[in-house]
Amino acid sequence: MTPRRIGALSAIALLLSTCLVPAAAQAAAPLTVTDFESDTLPPGVVAWGNDAASTPTLSIETDTSRVLKTVYDVGQWGGWSHDLSAAQDWTPYEGFAFSVKGTGSGQRIFFEIKDGGGGPGSSELFESSFTDTEAGWRRVEVKFADFVRRGDYQPGGAPTDGQLDLERMWGYSMRLPAASSGTLLWDDVQVYGTAPPRPVRLTTSAPVYPVKEKGAAQVGVAISAVPATDLTVRYATGSGTATPGSDYTPVEGTLVFPAGSPAGTTKTFTVATKADADPEAAETIPIVLSGEGVSPPADDAVVVIDAHGLPYLDARRPVRQRVADLMGRMTLAEKVGQMTQAERGALTKQDDIATYLLGSLLSGGGSAPATNTPEGWADMVDGYQLRARQTRLQIPLIYGVDAVHGHNNVVGATIFPHNAGLGATRDPALVERTGAITAEEVKATGIPWDFAPCLCVSRDDRWGRAYESFGEDPALVSRMAAIVTGLRKKGVLATAKHYVGDGGTAYGSSTTADYTIDQGVYTGDRAELEAVHLAPFAEAVRRGVGSVMPSFSSVGATKMHAHQELITGVLKGRLGFKGFVVSDWQAIDQIPGDQASDVRTSVNAGLDMIMVPYAYTAFVEALTAEVTAGRVARSRIDDAVARILTQKFELGLFERPYADRDGLPEVGSAAHRAVARTAAAASQVLLKNDDGLLPLRPSAKVYVAGSNADDLGNQMGGWTISWQGSPGPITQGTTILQGIRARAAAVTHSADASAPLEGHDVGVVVVGERPYAEGFGDVGRQGRTLDLSPADRAAVDKVCGALKCVVLVVSGRPLALGELSGVEALVASWLPGSEGAGVSDPLFGAVPYTGRLPFTWFRTAGQLPINVGDAAYDPLFPYGWGLRTDPARPRLKAVRDELARGDGGSRAAATALGVALGSRHWNADGSVREARVVLASLGVAATLLERSRSDTFAQDDAVVSVARDVAQAGGRRTDLQAQADHELAAGNLRKAVDLLTQAAR
């Protein structure tokens, strides 16, 4: 039933022989890639699925011999892969083969082979399939020439050349049929046959050569392999839109590469253009390469005579005029292309950018160039931008990326705390600065568009996206919309997402995979939607945000991507949003109906650009058909395209389409990391500090334990290098342990607390979550809870049972902490980013603890959802809670001195603070002695500051912080304390002081 297997030693010998003998002799026998002959799964063989139920069970079974058994019950997707530990060279072979024992189910089963890239997870995928027509063993053989590039998905970092690179093969995958169950047996995965003669592949030094009129293009032609004999390459200019003779001088000739020329040898020829006096669009001159024993480049090279003399190209004209002129020149195909956004990995070939006139590309989470460096990103994006130059009107691409806490897809970039931590800083100016630095790093890599910030108001800690929110209070989130200003000031298009209500979906309402709350349904009333969830978007529009992304979620029965009233009526109408609306990842597919109705409904609802992201050809065809049939009005298309083009002009893309490489040295620079360290320190929230344990003495002997003490990936969370994030040293940065070691004289680290505890002064246990993103973090999904892991709980119990201890909680949301009686100090560290030293700075008193909770910290998970303003409010720690370690009197004096230098209203407030600062009202350590007098004076100062209209939020915050110290010391009426922080964020300074005064009583 199965062919003779090659033994392990024979396979090794055969692999070694590939380096020693000619290609024709290497394929005398099949090469076994996987034979399943051991009692355990071979290394690299893994199962996967969209959820636990869809992940098949793999085992080695006996069916006349050892085989791989897969038992499956797949929902959306599932299968298994063999990822090789090192690339293999399959060039001597003709095809790929395996044996499979089916059941005659009639189902079509796809499989793929993985080539190129830096490893199995970043390789290009080429697929084929077979139909299970037989109840028994069969042999499946497919020639490499018959594999096609997978069009619906490519992994992040995969090459996009569209050519099967047999020199570097990383394994294969078997994709089991969706919505089905069964059992299949597999055996003898091999490459077989003798490769036919392979032509030498040609490449050009660039795919596109833009030149001005009366300019010249130097076209370089290179060979990919060493020719055995002299190789003659014929070149000629082909038939394009440029007119030979009047626009350029036609050329033809030959390039000879002598036998033995090294791979990469390049020879050049010149194409010269002419000039005329007429303004005109760009014109193309294709380059045709041919010859015996060669294969042409994956994409045909082309010389382009740049568009010139047209009004839309004149940067001196107003944007409105430029848009109108360009729109008047565009065809329907060009307009539809502008509304289409494809994932970079989806491109069948890079020429598709010009063929389909695409207006935008993106990198999804983890979709990176094969060389994931800032320079690698700049090269990649500039390469795509170059392809847009060959289009008639040369409209530049706008490339987008989820830089949600720094340029987080790029290895070596600065990674800031996630938004939950930034919300804890209560510092809009600092948050604006993080946006500016993110913009600088993004722009340096050629990307002008950031899918951030998330302005959701997270109302349920069970949501897997809670850490993407600045907090549970719309007033706080609106304050933190200052990040939009930071991005805009540095010339990057910001995106307010996810509009609207995604932070308020009902638990259990999601119908996506096994999510429980993400992409669910908002079931609250309209008044709550407006007051809680819409408010931050109104602030973002006021700040000039250029794009808005709707939510996957629904408002009532209507998917947000189909909600015309909220998108066109409210956002574009009442709020006056002038930018463009871009869909989320493949989100229109969730609208009920077929593809045509999804396209029609979403565009008519007000979406201007659709993140396809893979089926860009089908989307272009569908939207064109809908417009032609009159089901989508041309006026709607014109409105969408005008909005997109306006942003492209305002970003300066027509004048500066390529990466600002002068900024590359600043990506991940010391100066940028210093700001990230400051943000991490400011995000630390001191929840408990019995007997003033914190800050620790640098001379203390410190015992450090817990899963998150020395794990860079864990402390950065999801959306870091890859979509879901991952533990470990995934990029450059400093772990929390490294930060502690830099501060303390003596440190013992034992993650599981197994090292002896004796002889230490204090324990620091760093616990919390592992990375996740979106619905993968939903509580209830595959048993996920808000509890500490058993290992973390054991470390806390052991260390805190023997030493005075501090527990640092590294997480994207509040967690269930259990018994805290043995814990002297407790800190919410959130997800602090790449600069773990920022966590140790307040821990050892280099800076004070100043952060405050952006979320209510529940006592038990049964209280969820719990939020500031709830009628029944009994949290473990209220919203806005945060103990400070800097004395109140110097803090207040600094504000008084600053106000005294201001105008009349500010000076009057300074006078009121002067009364509060009377020495008899204060203890020697700077804490309040006479609370009644101090609070009364703060109330007067608050009133004067509100009237003066010259205050800053930082001054307001400092004044209220003294009243908060008094209220927190009493530990009463946490509901009033939480409400006070809301009033402060809303700008109601006197009301905040009054509430804290009431709580202090």
Side-chain angles (χ1 to χ4, degrees):
M1 289 183 289
T2 59
R4 181 180 61 84
R5 296 185 181 87
I6 301 174
L9 291 176
S10 298
I12 293 172
L14 185 57
L15 276 171
L16 292 173
S17 73
T18 62
C19 302
L20 304 176
V21 296
Q26 291 172 6
L31 169 65
T32 298
V33 181
T34 324
D35 60 10
F36 309 109
E37 283 302 290
S38 66
D39 292 329
T40 58
L41 295 177
V45 173
V46 294
W48 38 265
N50 66 283
D51 55 26
S54 297
T55 303
T57 300
L58 306 184
S59 60
I60 300 297
E61 302 287 336
T62 300
D63 187 282
T64 71
S65 62
R66 287 182 177 85
V67 298
L68 177 70
K69 181 179 181 180
T70 62
V71 179
Y72 64 94
D73 186 3
V74 175
Q76 293 179 304
W77 43 268
W80 63 274
S81 301
H82 185 181
D83 291 342
L84 303 175
S85 60
Q88 292 185 2
D89 183 357
W90 292 355
T91 54
Y93 302 94
E94 181 182 19
F96 178 79
F98 54 88
S99 296
V100 58
K101 185 177 183 180
T103 60
S105 66
Q107 293 174 326
R108 190 179 183 191
I109 298 169
F110 284 86
F111 54 93
E112 62 204 21
I113 52 179
K114 307 181 178 189
D115 89 302
S122 59
S123 54
E124 199 167 12
L125 306 180
F126 291 80
E127 70 180 2
S128 184
S129 66
F130 70 93
T131 302
D132 181 17
T133 56
E134 300 175 25
W137 284 100
R138 62 182 291 192
R139 189 70 175 163
V140 176
E141 295 185 350
V142 178
K143 295 178 180 179
F144 291 131
D146 294 333
F147 279 85
V148 296
R149 187 178 189 273
R150 185 173 171 183
D152 62 331
Y153 169 75
Q154 291 290 329
T160 56
D161 58 14
Q163 296 198 26
L164 186 56
D165 181 10
L166 292 170
E167 291 89 350
R168 290 178 59 80
M169 299 303 297
W170 288 103
Y172 59 90
S173 293
M174 302 292 179
R175 288 150 43 204
L176 300 169
S180 67
S181 60
T183 300
L184 292 170
L185 304 182
W186 312 82
D187 203 6
D188 286 315
V189 181
Q190 298 177 326
V191 287
Y192 71 92
T194 300
R198 298 186 186 277
V200 174
R201 186 184 306 163
L202 302 179
T203 59
T204 52
S205 52
V208 181
Y209 298 86
V211 295
K212 305 296 183 186
E213 282 197 322
K214 214 172 180 180
Q218 297 293 322
V219 179
V221 179
I223 55 175
S224 64
V226 177
T229 60
D230 289 355
L231 190 69
T232 300
V233 176
R234 293 184 293 275
Y235 67 85
T237 48
S239 178
T241 58
T243 303
S246 59
D247 288 324
Y248 69 98
T249 301
V251 298
E252 61 179 334
T254 59
L255 303 172
V256 178
F257 296 85
S261 296
T265 299
T266 302
K267 296 182 180 293
T268 63
F269 63 92
T270 301
V271 178
T273 66
K274 299 183 176 183
D276 57 40
D278 299 327
E280 55 191 350
E283 297 174 304
T284 59
I285 309 166
I287 301 300
V288 180
L289 302 175
S290 61
E292 295 296 327
V294 303
S295 63
D299 290 336
D300 294 331
V302 61
V303 175
V304 179
I305 305 172
D306 285 337
H308 56 278
L310 302 174
Y312 76 88
L313 296 172
D314 186 354
R316 297 167 297 179
R317 293 176 180 265
V319 167
R320 184 184 297 272
Q321 287 184 14
R322 299 179 74 183
V323 170
D325 178 72
L326 180 54
M327 290 280 293
R329 301 175 187 278
M330 295 175 72
T331 65
L332 176 60
E334 287 165 330
K335 291 175 181 178
V336 169
Q338 287 300 301
M339 297 174 67
T340 308
Q341 184 181 57
E343 216 290 332
R344 55 163 289 280
L347 295 174
T348 302
K349 54 182 181 177
Q350 292 190 19
D351 260 354
D352 280 3
I353 293 169
T355 301
Y356 294 94
L357 304 162
L358 300 179
S360 181
L361 293 179
L362 82 149
S363 280
S367 180
T371 303
N372 190 343
T373 63
E375 293 80 5
W377 277 83
D379 291 344
M380 177 186 74
V381 178
D382 281 357
Y384 296 139
Q385 199 66 266
L386 183 63
R387 303 288 180 151
R389 300 297 295 172
Q390 72 188 87
T391 60
R392 184 178 69 95
L393 297 172
Q394 294 188 313
I395 302 172
L397 293 168
I398 182 166
Y399 199 100
V401 67
D402 289 275
V404 299
H405 64 140
H407 201 0
N408 45 258
N409 288 294
V410 180
V411 173
T414 306
I415 307 298
F416 294 99
H418 268 296
N419 286 352
L422 293 180
T425 70
R426 295 303 200 278
D427 191 339
L430 176 60
V431 171
E432 180 179 325
R433 181 72 182 119
T434 68
I437 289 174
T438 298
E440 290 174 7
E441 299 200 359
V442 164
K443 195 171 181 181
T445 60
I447 299 172
W449 186 11
D450 186 2
F451 302 136
C454 182
L455 295 180
C456 54
V457 181
S458 178
R459 307 288 284 181
D460 193 325
D461 299 334
R462 293 171 292 188
W463 189 31
R465 303 191 83 140
Y467 65 75
E468 295 187 52
S469 171
F470 290 108
E472 69 185 41
D473 178 11
L476 172 62
V477 178
S478 296
R479 287 276 183 184
M480 295 305 161
I483 197 170
V484 169
T485 302
L487 290 163
R488 287 189 67 236
K489 281 182 177 179
K490 296 297 182 178
V492 168
L493 186 72
T495 305
K497 66 182 189 183
H498 302 92
Y499 182 85
V500 60
D502 61 342
T505 54
Y507 186 80
S509 66
S510 180
T511 57
T512 297
D514 55 354
Y515 297 178
T516 58
I517 187 168
D518 189 36
Q519 304 185 22
V521 180
Y522 174 80
T523 58
D525 60 28
R526 183 58 177 258
E528 179 187 341
L529 183 73
E530 297 259 351
V532 175
H533 299 286
L534 188 62
F537 290 93
E539 175 62 18
V541 171
R542 188 188 71 79
R543 288 179 176 269
V545 73
S547 65
V548 169
M549 181 182 290
S551 171
F552 276 111
S553 61
S554 304
V555 173
T558 305
K559 281 285 184 181
M560 267 307 309
H561 280 71
H563 211 304
Q564 185 174 24
E565 188 264 331
L566 283 172
I567 294 173
T568 299
V570 175
L571 178 64
K572 293 181 174 180
R574 173 152 60 89
L575 296 185
F577 174 59
K578 301 301 182 187
F580 67 89
V581 178
V582 59
S583 83
D584 208 334
W585 180 274
Q586 215 167 356
I588 69 168
D589 293 355
Q590 295 190 10
I591 299 172
D594 58 18
Q595 183 185 49
S597 68
D598 291 348
V599 170
R600 177 173 65 250
T601 300
S602 60
V603 173
N604 285 337
L607 269 68
D608 303 307
M609 182 183 287
I610 307 299
M611 187 185 295
V612 182
Y614 287 99
Y616 56 93
T617 59
F619 171 77
V620 166
E621 181 180 346
L623 182 54
T624 302
E626 291 300 301
V627 175
T628 302
R631 290 184 289 268
V632 174
R634 288 183 181 263
S635 60
R636 174 75 271 273
I637 299 299
D638 287 348
D639 172 63
V641 176
R643 287 171 177 270
I644 294 165
L645 293 178
T646 296
Q647 295 303 318
K648 289 187 175 184
F649 278 118
E650 291 185 347
L651 289 168
L653 290 178
F654 282 80
E655 291 72 46
R656 300 176 302 278
Y658 300 115
D660 178 12
R661 292 175 184 257
D662 289 344
L664 284 174
E666 294 304 308
V667 177
S669 67
H672 288 182
R673 289 180 183 276
V675 177
R677 180 172 179 169
T678 296
S683 73
Q684 303 299 291
V685 181
L686 182 57
L687 300 174
K688 182 182 180 184
N689 194 24
D690 291 351
D691 301 323
L693 178 61
L694 297 183
L696 301 177
R697 293 178 292 105
S699 61
K701 296 179 180 179
V702 183
Y703 187 100
V704 181
S707 63
N708 286 343
D710 194 31
D711 195 304
L712 192 62
N714 283 4
Q715 76 188 39
M716 292 187 288
W719 287 108
T720 311
I721 309 304
S722 62
W723 172 38
Q724 290 293 317
S726 60
I730 58 176
T731 186
Q732 299 166 18
T734 303
T735 68
I736 295 170
L737 175 65
Q738 289 171 322
I740 292 173
R741 289 192 188 279
R743 290 284 180 194
V747 177
T748 298
H749 174 235
S750 177
D752 60 358
S754 60
L757 289 154
E758 295 79 9
H760 296 89
D761 300 316
V762 65
V764 177
V765 189
V766 190
V767 299
E769 296 184 299
R770 289 166 61 91
Y772 55 82
E774 301 189 26
F776 282 76
D778 282 359
V779 169
R781 180 187 182 273
Q782 298 190 20
R784 183 182 291 275
T785 72
L786 294 173
D787 297 328
L788 294 180
S789 70
D792 274 349
R793 183 74 256 175
V796 171
D797 292 344
K798 184 173 181 180
V799 176
C800 296
L803 299 169
K804 289 185 177 181
C805 80
V806 185
V807 173
L808 308 179
V809 184
V810 175
S811 66
R813 53 194 167 187
L815 299 181
L817 299 178
E819 176 57 46
L820 295 174
S821 60
V823 177
E824 282 78 15
L826 178 67
V827 179
S829 292
W830 307 110
L831 297 170
S834 59
E835 308 311 302
V839 177
S840 67
D841 288 341
L843 187 66
F844 287 89
V847 296
Y849 280 102
T850 58
R852 302 202 298 280
L853 286 180
F855 303 108
T856 299
W857 204 292
F858 57 87
R859 289 185 183 277
T860 68
Q863 292 177 300
L864 296 174
I866 181 172
N867 294 288
V868 56
D870 286 354
Y873 191 73
D874 180 31
L876 183 62
F877 300 105
Y879 168 79
W881 181 270
L883 304 175
R884 296 185 68 130
T885 52
D886 56 339
R889 191 167 187 244
R891 195 190 318 153
L892 196 61
K893 185 177 183 299
V895 178
R896 190 276 310 271
D897 294 346
E898 185 177 354
L899 291 171
R901 295 189 292 269
D903 59 18
S906 294
R907 290 196 297 273
T911 300
L913 293 182
V915 174
L917 285 165
S919 59
R920 64 184 179 277
H921 308 319
W922 299 85
N923 296 314
D925 63 359
S927 61
V928 175
R929 177 190 299 162
E930 296 291 341
R932 181 181 60 82
V933 175
V934 171
L935 291 171
S937 299
L938 293 177
V940 173
T943 299
L944 293 169
L945 279 172
E946 282 192 53
R947 292 175 181 171
S948 73
R949 298 176 179 266
S950 62
D951 64 300
T952 66
F953 184 70
Q955 291 169 341
D956 291 356
D957 198 66
V959 169
V960 175
S961 72
V962 177
R964 186 183 302 106
D965 286 352
V966 177
Q968 289 182 156
R972 295 182 294 274
R973 293 304 304 271
T974 56
D975 58 332
L976 298 180
Q977 294 184 46
Q979 192 63 31
D981 213 69
H982 162 74
E983 296 295 345
L984 171 61
N988 302 320
L989 183 56
R990 177 58 191 261
K991 193 169 183 180
V993 173
D994 287 348
L995 286 167
L996 291 168
T997 299
Q998 184 180 349
R1001 293 176 185 153

